[in-house]
Amino acid sequence: SSDLDRAHAGLQRKEMSQRFPMLTPAELDVCRLVEQGLTIKDISIALGKSVSNVSTVRGNVRKKLGLAQDDNLRSVLLENRH
């Protein structure tokens, strides 16, 4: 099932890159997992990255999307689904 999971993740990343073409592959991976409701710690485990790396990437996404400090990233991602 890991091949299937990878294929599914690839499809999700492609769909998200069409919604947010300004984001890097790493940023898209983090967004995909934020959208699913994972915490920064869970995302770091899922991607094999440090918590500080995921936190930095998430901060970069927030900047690129022009979010205010009190804007919820997950809500913004969910609102932008087609």
Side-chain angles (χ1 to χ4, degrees):
S1 99
S2 66
D3 284 346
L4 191 61
D5 290 343
R6 270 197 296 276
H8 186 65
L11 276 173
Q12 286 179 318
R13 190 188 302 120
K14 184 168 190 265
E15 183 266 339
M16 190 162 271
S17 73
Q18 289 166 346
R19 283 159 48 201
F20 304 107
M22 76 295 280
L23 300 181
T24 66
E27 291 166 345
L28 292 167
D29 282 338
V30 169
C31 284
R32 186 170 52 80
L33 297 173
V34 165
E35 195 173 77
Q36 292 173 19
L38 273 68
T39 64
I40 288 181
K41 184 170 192 242
D42 289 337
I43 293 169
S44 74
I45 293 165
L47 298 179
K49 308 274 186 199
S50 68
V51 168
S52 65
N53 172 272
V54 172
S55 189
T56 299
V57 170
R58 195 172 162 278
N60 292 342
V61 168
R62 292 180 60 84
K63 271 190 210 129
K64 285 185 180 182
L65 298 184
L67 300 188
Q69 196 140 18
D70 58 350
D71 287 335
N72 183 298
L73 177 59
R74 182 166 187 243
S75 297
V76 170
L77 293 173
L78 291 170
E79 284 164 14
N80 278 282
R81 291 182 91 151
H82 295 309

